[in-house]
């Protein structure tokens, strides 16, 4: 399918060059791309789901491997890291970067959390649809009384398996994994080939007609479900904003840092319902997204005050609530958020101010954060902090002693542990940080945590 | 400021039919109000002025004008010498004992005491690395960074948002203070509280280096009740980044305010130790120092 390959390559290039901004846009584009992959995928009559899953996994692997951290622009960072290791810098640094190298080999690194989420969602959708079709087909066939000869043969073929298959299907991957499901997995997949072989005995035409209608049905269902997913991603802001009125009362003071469209919509929804409140916006150096947010809020008529990030501790004693958006929500309830939010969360905890995180469900990632400061982070260019001209002699490797005296650290993200988060507001409602792991079972399958095709 | 006062005392001459003490005190008050109009006084400046006024009031009436002036000038000299210059040397000597080889020190903004500590430790040959944390709008850390790197100390530079990222590498945090209040709260450049809080979270000891003349009898619980406001335009303009101009016409928008705080108050439980010229004390001993040594020095 040269068409799909071209699409996939285009998207991969866009990801690498960072032309796609924001997890919502990334998620939407990924879902649309996977939808076109599915619709153009020609799937065989047998094992349709497995074929679809394979195809999605191969595309998913490519997308996830398009890791922006390896861009040319960050060669300075990479060189610095190596230089540090050469000079035997602090032991932790070596450990950390060594760990980072290793993690990257596993193929699932930071930049693509949103993409990985969507890939896994689609895989889960495929499994679900396949499952419901199988149970429906088997259930329907075993219930129908009158039929033709061919159908009779089919029915005769199927009921042999129907008991075992229905039993297996009923207790299936949609449940949390247990010893039973693991052991039943084998008979369940063995149930599929006998179906096709018994089908092969009967009349070819009706069988193939039925199979192709089934395969078309699977594809159709999957594409419908993916469309729903795209719809959900697009409307997650509205659903989150609807809950604003429950949380913002009169005369409140809200603190936020950086900029997030979800937060803007949330605050504006509360303003629509005639709640009066004021907002402190911390500017969020060095991207200064706080300035953008402040301008937007003022345009919509909210009382806004811009403060520097260093003043967060000073101001938080007068704040009623901290509302922020997250880049990703991890399986333990911790969040990956713009840099500086860990400091804000600690200050909020100290002053007993609720720390509320707004996140669409597409940001929920089934991975557990191990060493998130290093492995789930991105270091950006030092030029945002320091002017190269002033300090170029110190940053250079070639000067004097052979290693630079000056290192500049500019991480893009912060990890906030779950115990600092008071509440998650998602499009499905408000949840505690300790509840987020349950939502994973709703949206992802356990088989898909590692999106890599097993070598066959 | 004290040297400026010295100059003014040298040039002062008592007008006829007026007592030196009262007239000089009145003149000093004028100068102080002028200074306050330019910029609110810092706490250490307030302490120094109070010292000067007490010395003036305690002048024996029998002294002639030139003798009185000479006494005052030498008093001020002694204050500067003992309380500032020598105090700094003692602080540096104490603090350097807390730096071991292979340490990673973190400092925030630009404090003269901390800079002296780093330079001295480097001079006596200790191997260590410094992380300089900086923040807007003053970006004072860059100046400190310049001076340290010129001397050959390996430095890392970052901004205050990245403090959680860098803190796991750090062994000690050295901070300067504008003043230490009687309940142990450290009153210093805005952002110090954030750094101390994150250090506390990561179980890294926080050492405040502060000369004793900066201690003050007042108490304060948070940073809002008493603070100084800086220039709001410093927030809307980002030097060196012309593309950040979203807030250029902030004055025209009535809903928008820019708040530029200069100081903040760090609670005493984030501070492990305060290094002063009287020794290394816990933050709970600050009112003791204020009480005992303030009285003693007034009687000198």
């Amino acid at each position: 399918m040269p068409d799909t390959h071209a699409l996939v390559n285009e998207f991969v290039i866009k990801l690498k060059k960072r032309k796609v901004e924001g997890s919502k846009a990334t998620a939407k584009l990924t879902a649309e791309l996977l939808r076109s992959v599915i619709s153009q995928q020609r799937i065989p009559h047998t094992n349709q789901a497995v074929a679809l899953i394979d195809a999605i996994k191969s595309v998913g692997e490519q997308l996830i491997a398009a890791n922006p951290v390896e861009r040319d622009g960050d060669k300075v960072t990479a060189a610095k890291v190596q230089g540090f290791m050469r000079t035997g810098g602090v032991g932790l640094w070596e450990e950390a970067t060594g760990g980072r190298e290793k993690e990257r080999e596993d193929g699932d690194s930071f930049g693509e959390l949103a993409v990985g989420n969507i890939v896994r969602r689609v895989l889960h959708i495929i499994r679900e649809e396949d499952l419901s079709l199988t149970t429906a087909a088997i259930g329907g066939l075993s219930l129908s009384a009158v039929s033709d000869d061919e159908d009779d043969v089919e029915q005769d073929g199927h009921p042999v398996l129907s008991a075992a298959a229905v039993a297996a299907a009923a207790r299936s991957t949609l449940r949390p994994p247990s010893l039973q499901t693991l052991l039943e997995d084998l008979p369940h997949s063995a149930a599929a080939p006998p179906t096709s072989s018994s089908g092969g005995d009967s009349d070819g035409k009706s069988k193939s007609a039925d199979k192709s209608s089934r395969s078309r049905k699977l594809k159709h269902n999957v594409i419908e479900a993916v469309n729903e997913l795209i719809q959900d991603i697009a409307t997650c802001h509205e659903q989150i904003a609807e809950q604003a009125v429950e949380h913002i009362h009169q005369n409140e003071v809200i603190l936020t840092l950086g900029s997030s469209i979800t937060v803007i919509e949330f605050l504006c929804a509360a303003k629509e319902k005639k709640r009066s409140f004021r907002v402190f916006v911390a500017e969020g150096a060095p991207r200064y997204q706080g300035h953008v947010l402040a301008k937007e809020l003022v345009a919509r008529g909210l009382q806004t005050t811009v403060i520097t990030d260093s003043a967060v501790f000073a101001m938080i004693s007068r704040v009623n609530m901290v509302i922020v958006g997250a880049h990703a929500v991890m399986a333990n309830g911790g969040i990956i958020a713009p840099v500086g939010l860990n400091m804000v969360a600690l200050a909020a905890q100290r002053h007993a101010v609720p720390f509320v995180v707004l996140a669409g469900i597409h940001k929920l990632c089934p991975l557990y954060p191990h060493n998130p400061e290093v492995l789930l982070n991105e270091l950006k260019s030092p030029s945002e902090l320091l002017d190269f001209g002033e300090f170029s002699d110190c940053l250079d490797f070639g000067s004097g002693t052979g290693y630079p005296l000056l290192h500049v650290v500019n991480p893009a993200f912060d990890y906030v542990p779950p115990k600092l988060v008071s509440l998650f507001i998602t499009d499905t409602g408000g949840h505690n940080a300790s509840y987020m792991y349950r939502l994973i079972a709703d949206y992802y399958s356990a088989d898909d945590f590692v999106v890599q095709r097993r070598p066959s | 400021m004290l040297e400026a006062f010295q100059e003014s005392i040298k040039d002062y001459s008592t007008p006829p039919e007026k007592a030196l003490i009262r007239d000089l005190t009145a003149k000093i008050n004028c100068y102080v109000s002028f200074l306050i109009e330019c910029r609110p006084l810092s706490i250490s400046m307030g302490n120094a002025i109070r010292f000067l006024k007490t010395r003036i009031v305690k002048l024996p009436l029998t002294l002639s004008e030139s003798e009185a002036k000479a006494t005052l000038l030498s008093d001020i000299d002694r204050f500067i010498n003992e309380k500032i210059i020598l105090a700094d040397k003692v602080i540096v000597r104490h603090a350097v004992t807390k730096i071991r080889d292979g340490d990673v020190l973190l400092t925030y903004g630009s404090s003269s005491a901390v800079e002296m500590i780093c330079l001295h430790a480097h001079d006596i040959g200790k191997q260590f690395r410094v992380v300089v944390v900086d923040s807007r709008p003053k970006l004072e850390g860059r100046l400190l960074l310049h001076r340290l790197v010129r001397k050959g100390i390996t430095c890392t530079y970052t901004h205050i948002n990245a403090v959680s990222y860098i803190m796991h590498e750090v062994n000690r945090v050295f901070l300067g203070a504008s003043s230490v209040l009687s309940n142990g709260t450290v009153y210093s450049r805005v952002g110090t509280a954030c750094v101390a809080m994150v250090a506390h979270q990561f179980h890294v000891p926080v050492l405040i280096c502060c000369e004793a003349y900066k201690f003050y009898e007042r108490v304060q619980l948070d940073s809002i009740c008493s603070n100084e406001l800086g220039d709001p335009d410093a927030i809307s303009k980002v030097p060196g980044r012309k593309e950040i101009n979203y807030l250029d016409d902030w004055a025209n928008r009535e809903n928008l305010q820019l708040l530029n705080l200069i100081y903040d108050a760090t609670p005493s439980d984030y501070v492990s130790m305060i290094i002063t010229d009287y020794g290394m004390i816990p933050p709970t001993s600050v009112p003791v120092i204020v009480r005992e040594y303030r009285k003693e020095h007034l009687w000198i």
Side-chain angles (χ1 to χ4, degrees):
Chain A
M1 276 131 292
D3 209 7
T4 0
H5 276 319
L7 281 176
V8 170
N9 284 340
E10 212 187 287
F11 190 49
V12 162
I13 291 175
K14 262 200 225 164
L15 283 176
K16 281 192 176 157
K17 291 202 178 152
R18 242 181 270 204
K19 292 254 176 68
V20 192
E21 283 285 339
S23 44
K24 183 174 167 183
T26 324
K28 194 147 170 285
L29 288 174
T30 315
E32 285 168 0
L33 174 70
L34 292 176
R35 180 179 59 188
S36 21
V37 167
I38 293 174
S39 59
Q40 291 177 9
Q41 175 82 4
R42 225 173 284 148
I43 46 180
H45 290 163
T46 58
N47 290 347
Q48 307 98 337
V50 176
L52 266 184
I53 286 176
D54 254 348
I56 298 290
K57 268 193 175 172
S58 72
V59 172
E61 242 184 313
Q62 272 180 292
L63 294 179
I64 291 176
N67 184 357
V69 180
E70 315 225 41
R71 251 185 355 138
D72 282 350
D74 283 327
K75 272 214 178 98
V76 176
T77 326
K80 257 195 341 235
V81 160
Q82 280 155 29
F84 222 139
M85 286 166 69
R86 244 182 284 143
T87 64
V90 179
L92 279 170
W93 236 134
E94 283 174 358
E95 228 182 78
T97 48
R100 216 162 134 206
E101 295 298 318
K102 199 156 52 77
E103 188 70 12
R104 227 180 272 144
E105 281 159 20
D106 293 346
D108 198 7
S109 320
F110 172 59
E112 304 319 313
L113 279 183
V115 170
N117 292 353
I118 299 300
V119 168
R120 292 185 184 93
R121 287 286 290 270
V122 171
L123 288 172
H124 181 75
I125 287 174
I126 297 174
R127 287 179 207 273
E128 255 190 47
E129 294 297 333
D130 180 46
L131 183 61
S132 60
L133 273 182
T134 321
T135 42
I138 291 174
L141 286 170
S142 59
L143 282 176
S144 74
V146 181
S147 52
D148 296 346
D149 281 347
E150 293 110 314
D151 291 359
D152 251 335
V153 174
E154 276 176 12
Q155 277 174 38
D156 284 340
H158 287 260
V160 170
L161 313 153
S162 67
V166 164
R171 303 166 291 166
S172 75
T173 48
L174 290 184
R175 273 189 315 158
S178 70
L179 211 47
Q180 237 175 354
T181 35
L182 290 175
L183 292 174
E184 277 174 4
D185 206 13
L186 212 43
H188 182 65
S189 53
T195 313
S196 45
S197 62
S198 72
D201 293 340
S202 65
D203 191 22
K205 245 191 249 166
S206 67
K207 197 60 193 169
S208 61
D210 178 58
K211 275 288 186 234
S212 59
S213 76
R214 251 190 76 186
S215 74
R216 260 182 282 126
K217 234 185 152 205
L218 175 67
K219 248 187 163 186
H220 174 73
N221 285 356
V222 169
I223 291 186
E224 249 187 43
V226 175
N227 278 339
E228 262 180 47
L229 173 61
I230 296 178
Q231 189 67 12
D232 275 342
I233 296 174
T235 56
C236 71
H237 291 164
E238 279 100 55
Q239 293 183 312
I240 293 178
E242 279 167 18
Q243 304 170 51
V245 169
E246 297 164 13
H247 297 284
I248 300 183
H249 200 57
Q250 287 283 49
N251 296 332
E252 296 223 347
V253 180
I254 304 212
L255 175 72
T256 184
L257 187 143
S259 169
S260 159
I261 302 185
T262 328
V263 172
I264 295 181
E265 296 298 326
F266 193 82
L267 295 177
C268 293
K271 175 120 195 340
E272 300 293 315
K273 298 282 195 317
K274 310 283 187 260
R275 303 277 200 229
S276 73
F277 55 96
R278 45 180 314 176
V279 183
F280 283 124
V281 180
E283 51 178 16
R287 290 187 69 200
Y288 301 104
Q289 291 293 314
H291 291 208
V292 178
L293 178 71
K295 196 169 176 191
E296 182 67 38
L297 288 177
V298 166
R300 303 216 200 177
L302 280 169
Q303 280 272 347
T304 318
T305 306
V306 177
I307 60 175
T308 53
D309 313 304
S310 34
V312 160
F313 192 90
M315 299 308 298
I316 202 154
S317 54
R318 297 292 188 273
V319 164
N320 295 121
M321 193 184 317
V322 178
I323 299 184
V324 294
H327 192 95
V329 179
M330 311 306 293
N332 65 343
I335 62 171
I336 304 292
V339 70
L341 276 174
N342 191 27
M343 201 171 69
V344 175
L346 287 171
Q349 187 194 42
R350 160 74 183 213
H351 289 92
V353 173
F355 187 84
V356 174
V357 177
L358 309 179
I361 279 294
H362 64 272
K363 292 188 178 169
L364 177 62
C365 179
L367 301 174
Y368 184 87
H370 296 285
N371 198 2
E373 312 282 337
V374 178
L375 299 178
L376 293 179
N377 212 333
E378 234 181 276
L379 290 180
K380 299 199 135 157
S381 163
S383 61
E384 290 175 358
L385 294 182
L386 270 192
D387 193 23
F388 275 132
E390 278 176 48
F391 289 95
S392 54
D393 50 344
C394 316
L395 284 171
D396 197 16
F397 277 94
S399 66
T401 40
Y403 56 89
L405 289 173
L406 177 60
H407 295 268
V408 179
V409 180
N410 187 7
F413 295 102
D414 238 350
Y415 170 70
V416 181
K419 64 177 175 5
L420 296 177
V421 178
S422 313
L423 186 68
F424 279 101
I425 297 187
T426 66
D427 31 354
T428 51
H431 308 294
N432 213 358
S434 48
Y435 180 71
M436 296 312 275
Y437 77 101
R438 283 316 267 168
L439 295 178
I440 295 174
D442 281 346
Y443 298 107
Y444 303 100
S445 316
D447 300 327
D448 301 325
F449 284 177
V450 179
V451 182
Q452 264 168 346
R453 283 182 298 173
R454 291 197 184 83
S456 44
Chain B
M1 177 191 75
L2 283 174
E3 286 173 0
F5 279 140
Q6 275 185 320
E7 288 293 323
S8 70
I9 292 178
K10 265 191 221 154
D11 297 338
Y12 173 78
S13 58
T14 326
E17 293 164 23
K18 281 211 184 153
L20 174 98
I21 297 178
R22 281 203 204 92
D23 192 52
L24 187 54
T25 316
K27 274 265 161 37
I28 300 281
N29 283 342
C30 286
Y31 298 149
V32 171
S33 350
F34 171 68
L35 286 178
I36 293 181
E37 262 183 67
C38 301
R39 191 186 156 179
L41 289 181
S42 70
I43 295 180
S44 45
M45 284 161 86
N47 282 352
I49 291 173
R50 216 169 312 122
F51 159 77
L52 181 60
K53 285 200 200 163
T54 335
R55 297 312 300 150
I56 296 178
V57 162
K58 293 235 174 329
L59 281 177
L61 289 165
T62 50
L63 289 181
S64 74
E65 182 186 316
S66 53
E67 281 173 355
K69 276 165 53 168
T71 326
L72 278 179
L73 289 174
S74 78
D75 275 342
I76 295 181
D77 264 332
R78 220 181 47 189
F79 184 90
I80 294 179
N81 211 16
E82 271 177 30
K83 298 289 171 190
I84 305 181
I85 299 178
L86 273 180
D88 280 337
K89 290 210 176 90
V90 173
I91 289 178
V92 164
R93 224 184 33 197
H94 281 149
V96 159
T97 59
K98 291 294 170 195
I99 303 178
R100 307 162 298 187
D101 278 339
D103 260 355
V104 181
L105 312 179
L106 184 137
T107 181
Y108 175 70
S110 166
S111 161
S112 55
V114 175
E115 187 185 335
M116 280 192 271
I117 292 172
C118 292
L119 295 178
H120 187 246
H122 185 75
D123 283 339
I124 61 178
K126 298 223 176 189
Q127 299 297 315
F128 62 95
R129 199 159 64 85
V130 178
V131 178
V132 178
V133 177
D134 203 5
S135 84
R136 284 245 301 145
K138 294 210 163 184
L139 291 174
E140 298 167 322
R142 287 191 190 179
L143 304 169
L144 178 65
L145 186 68
H146 242 295
R147 295 194 281 260
L148 290 181
V149 170
R150 291 273 169 267
K151 291 282 178 171
I153 303 179
T154 316
C155 296
T156 305
Y157 178 78
T158 182
H159 60 103
I160 193 171
N161 279 335
V163 126
S164 314
Y165 176 81
I166 204 89
M167 191 57 76
H168 67 268
E169 294 177 11
V170 174
N171 294 119
R172 304 254 187 278
V173 175
F174 280 90
L175 298 172
S178 165
S179 158
V180 181
L181 305 175
S182 265
N183 60 344
T185 310
V186 177
Y187 191 73
S188 71
R189 182 69 71 221
V190 69
T192 312
C194 293
V195 174
M197 171 181 69
V198 177
H200 186 251
Q201 172 75 13
F202 282 80
H203 307 293
V204 175
V206 175
L207 295 95
I208 308 284
C209 310
C210 178
E211 300 89 347
Y213 78 94
K214 290 181 179 170
F215 287 7
Y216 196 40
E217 292 97 26
R218 203 181 72 203
V219 289
Q220 192 174 330
L221 288 172
D222 64 15
S223 324
I224 311 271
C225 302
S226 163
N227 209 322
E228 188 186 328
L229 285 183
D231 177 19
D233 276 325
I235 296 191
S236 63
K237 296 202 189 333
V238 181
R241 305 269 296 274
K242 297 279 184 314
E243 70 274 13
I244 316 269
N245 57 354
Y246 309 108
L247 298 180
D248 272 352
D249 55 344
W250 66 272
N252 298 337
R253 296 170 201 262
E254 50 186 37
N255 283 338
L256 182 61
Q257 283 171 333
L258 301 183
L259 183 61
N260 186 3
L261 288 178
I262 302 281
Y263 292 111
D264 76 9
T266 308
S268 60
D269 41 338
Y270 290 151
V271 177
S272 314
M273 188 162 74
I274 304 184
I275 307 179
T276 75
D277 40 331
Y278 291 119
M280 299 196 267
I281 57 171
T284 44
S285 303
V286 171
V288 173
I289 302 256
V290 167
R291 204 175 108 113
E292 303 300 324
Y293 291 99
R294 193 55 61 77
K295 273 204 298 227
E296 172 197 288
H297 120 122
L298 284 180
W299 282 110
I300 295 172

